[in-house]
Amino acid sequence: MTAVARPRAEIVALLRDLGIIPVIRCDSADVAVRVADVLVEAGLRAIEVTMTVPNAMEAIRALAARAGRSHPRAVIGAGTVIDAAAARGAIDAGAEFIVSPGLVPEVIEAAKATGVAVLPGALTPTEILAAARAGGDLIKIFPVQAVGGAAYIRALRGPFPELLLVPTGGVDLHNVADFIRAGATAVGVGSELVSRDALAREDWTGIALCAEQFIAAVATARAQPRRAAPARV
């Protein structure tokens, strides 16, 4: 396996600091690389390429090479990882963090074995606790908007004040500040940032503008007082 370029703790700290993880889903590896380049140039330096992208490993490999040259501060990860083989393949290609849509112990184990940061997916309090105990560095809360959005994250902060929660699924420019104020460590953003329509039109300028708006919204929210979470139960 490829040696990890940066320590896991450093990647976790970067993801926390950046606060936004763009989730790239598109129809080709070439387009994924083009979108990632646009986002990194706009200031979104944590990039998640999902395994649903055709030839996703090629995109991750190309972006990981760029992260060492033209984008030295970028952090490239793999998303929608549902088995250990995919996790190991993505890590070999250069992924520095692994994201799964649900709690898959073998994915967590594969990432931990190579010192790579891992974000297991979870939704219920039981799943969230299991993901944390299994070794998840940050916990992806998905699909968050379907179960209450920012209010759900705020409720989770009561029993889980120390966990690093990353709500994903329905985060957009209208509610991203609410998620940050509710206690989200970072957010995962997919089609709300890189829409199918923008991809079809190759509207790179529009995607970059949207990225800048997300960055500004998160920065503003982080500068505001966090709303109190309910008491522990």
Side-chain angles (χ1 to χ4, degrees):
M1 280 192 181
T2 303
V4 178
R6 288 177 282 192
R8 177 175 58 90
E10 181 179 339
I11 299 304
V12 172
L14 281 169
L15 294 177
R16 294 180 67 175
D17 180 57
L18 295 171
I20 304 170
I21 303 174
V23 182
I24 298 179
R25 297 183 187 276
C26 56
D27 295 330
S28 77
D30 289 343
V31 172
V33 171
R34 181 70 178 94
V35 171
D37 283 344
V38 169
L39 294 174
V40 171
E41 289 297 335
L44 290 182
R45 297 186 287 108
I47 301 295
E48 175 187 334
V49 178
T50 68
M51 291 295 99
T52 57
V53 174
N55 300 314
M57 299 299 185
E58 293 180 13
I60 291 170
R61 186 171 289 106
L63 290 169
R66 281 169 164 73
R69 297 197 303 269
S70 58
H71 299 319
R73 299 178 65 194
V75 184
I76 309 303
T80 320
V81 179
I82 58 175
D83 57 50
R88 288 190 290 266
I91 293 166
D92 281 340
E96 292 190 284
F97 65 95
I98 299 294
V99 186
S100 57
L103 178 54
V104 189
E106 67 180 76
V107 169
I108 298 175
E109 292 166 6
K112 289 174 62 180
T114 52
V116 170
V118 60
L119 289 73
L123 188 60
T124 69
T126 299
E127 293 170 346
I128 292 166
L129 186 58
R133 287 179 171 173
D137 295 295
L138 301 95
I139 311 300
K140 172 180 175 176
I141 309 301
F142 173 81
V144 69
Q145 197 61 19
V147 293
Y152 185 59
I153 296 299
R154 189 174 300 110
L156 291 173
R157 299 313 303 173
F160 304 124
E162 304 303 323
L163 296 186
L164 308 181
L165 306 181
V166 183
T168 307
V171 179
D172 59 28
L173 279 171
H174 300 291
N175 61 28
V176 64
D178 293 333
F179 280 107
I180 298 299
R181 288 193 294 264
T185 299
V187 296
V189 189
S191 60
E192 297 84 359
L193 170 60
V194 183
S195 70
R196 285 283 178 181
D197 180 62
L199 289 174
R201 292 185 287 107
E202 298 186 352
D203 184 8
W204 315 127
T205 300
I207 291 173
L209 176 61
C210 190
E212 291 167 0
Q213 291 173 327
F214 266 100
I215 293 169
V218 168
T220 299
R222 283 180 164 179
Q224 297 170 345
R226 179 177 292 182
R227 296 176 185 174
R232 294 194 194 192
V233 294

